[in-house]
Amino acid sequence: MDNPSNPPKAPRGAVEARNRQAYDRMVQTKHFLTQPVSTEELANPLATLDAKGWLGGNIRGWNVLCLAAGGGRQGPLYCAAGANVTVLDISPGMLQLDRQVSAQLGLNYKIIQGDMAELSMFQHDEFDLVAHPVSTCYVPNIEPVFAEIARVLRPGGLYVSQHKQPMNLQASLELVQGRYVIETPVGHAAKSLSIGQSSLLREPETVEFAHSLDAILGGICRTGMSIEAISEPDHANLDSEPGTMGHRSRFIRPYLRIKARKSAGSTKARKILLG
Ligand SMILES: C[S@@+](CC[C@H](N)C(=O)[O-])C[C@H]1O[C@@H](n2cnc3c(N)ncnc32)[C@H](O)[C@@H]1O
């Protein structure tokens, strides 16, 4: 019997390699998550990126790290909003889309292949904003990811992220005897979809971990960042069929969006402590 608080360990790097291959394959098969940005979205980039106004309406000149955000969408949008952009992602296929789209649009930003848990190529306090679309589900342990984010953010800098809710990854995609049922213990990997299976809620062939709220919210707080706002984007649709995202989202909100800030005194405090 699995112990929910002790998820099984995979060899170091194996999960990352599998997710890299899965995303490379998704690019080849033109999965919807690999669709680059559209001209309409680019026309008003901040409206597309920041419906809640968490970024304050003007990010011109900001140094922005788009973390685990390849695919020719996030990079071009932040660039079009006037930021100096770096995109980091583990999948060469997703980053190739960034190269294509930036060349087509004449946009210039840095593109780096790497793992979100290892940001040693960046200085302390380098970024005004780390923008992190859904992807913490792809690493078994998110604590080192949050530690690196807090390190590369400048004091007072923002961390805006979206995550799959624990229950989204714990529950069945289909109804079982008329109900969505919990099938994955918290902290463990959810059932993978195989190639050809489709869902708006899980990506084929990836390994995705149902991180607890303690790991997500507590993990951000334990780095010293402060959470300023949280939202649960509403994807419910009253008319949709059972087993669809619209139907399931009436019961389980799929995502958690979080605005956090590194304390303005962080660097000073570190300098006093470390000399
Ligand atoms: C949902 S996509 C986000 C990008 C998408 N184009 C968007 O605009 O929302 C998740 C991304 O996480 C990346 N990824 C998965 N595991 C990663 C890891 N360990 N380090 C860095 N990126 C990772 C995938 O390659 C993929 O591009």
Side-chain angles (χ1 to χ4, degrees):
M1 170 91 181
D2 283 334
N3 176 350
S5 53
N6 279 321
K9 296 252 184 321
R12 200 171 145 72
V15 170
E16 291 77 2
R18 176 148 162 204
N19 287 331
R20 185 179 67 232
Q21 285 158 9
Y23 265 90
D24 282 347
R25 206 175 297 112
M26 284 161 63
V27 173
Q28 283 160 18
T29 55
K30 300 194 188 318
H31 187 275
F32 78 94
L33 277 183
T34 68
Q35 290 304 306
V37 68
S38 68
T39 334
E40 296 74 45
E41 288 171 317
L42 273 176
N44 195 350
L46 273 187
T48 309
L49 288 167
D50 185 30
K52 296 259 174 218
W54 287 355
L55 302 179
N58 182 4
I59 61 165
R60 206 152 277 284
W62 286 23
N63 292 330
V64 176
L65 173 62
C66 297
L67 188 60
R73 186 178 154 69
Q74 305 279 329
L77 284 165
Y78 280 100
C79 227
N84 309 310
V85 175
T86 303
V87 171
L88 181 140
D89 197 284
I90 207 163
S91 152
M94 290 296 267
L95 295 175
Q96 189 53 27
L97 291 174
D98 278 280
R99 288 192 192 90
Q100 285 164 8
V101 174
S102 58
Q104 275 160 17
L105 298 171
L107 296 172
N108 191 14
Y109 55 90
K110 287 188 206 146
I111 296 170
I112 299 176
Q113 190 194 342
D115 184 342
M116 67 178 106
E118 213 285 285
L119 304 181
S120 60
M121 66 292 271
F122 303 123
Q123 309 282 326
H124 289 336
D125 308 344
E126 187 170 336
F127 295 100
D128 300 291
L129 166 67
V130 175
H132 196 183
V134 173
S135 59
T136 46
C137 50
Y138 300 128
V139 293
N141 179 9
I142 46 181
E143 206 92 15
V145 178
F146 292 145
E148 277 293 81
I149 291 166
R151 183 184 68 78
V152 302
L153 265 182
R154 71 160 168 81
L158 282 177
Y159 173 46
V160 173
S161 57
Q162 187 154 310
H163 309 261
K164 292 194 180 180
Q165 297 259 19
M167 196 49 71
N168 178 8
L169 284 163
Q170 287 180 260
S172 61
L173 291 172
E174 306 289 339
L175 295 179
V176 178
Q177 295 177 348
R179 294 190 162 93
Y180 296 105
V181 298
I182 300 171
E183 52 187 19
T184 300
V186 70
H188 285 233
K191 267 191 189 169
S192 283
L193 291 188
S194 46
I195 303 174
Q197 276 186 297
S198 86
S199 165
L200 296 178
L201 292 158
R202 300 223 181 126
E203 290 69 65
E205 290 281 285
T206 57
V207 186
E208 299 184 82
F209 294 88
H211 294 303
S212 64
L213 291 178
D214 182 312
I216 300 172
L217 302 176
I220 291 174
C221 295
R222 283 188 287 275
T223 67
M225 289 188 277
S226 305
I227 294 177
E228 294 186 350
I230 291 186
S231 77
E232 294 179 296
D234 184 1
H235 293 271
N237 180 344
L238 294 181
D239 301 324
S240 55
E241 294 293 315
T244 61
M245 183 175 184
H247 186 271
R248 190 173 180 266
S249 299
R250 291 171 60 198
F251 302 85
I252 304 164
R253 292 257 171 102
Y255 305 112
L256 198 57
R257 198 167 165 76
I258 304 168
K259 175 189 182 188
R261 190 182 299 276
K262 178 167 167 178
S263 130
S266 299
T267 300
K268 203 172 156 199
R270 197 176 55 233
K271 279 191 181 138
I272 292 166
L273 281 172
L274 302 178

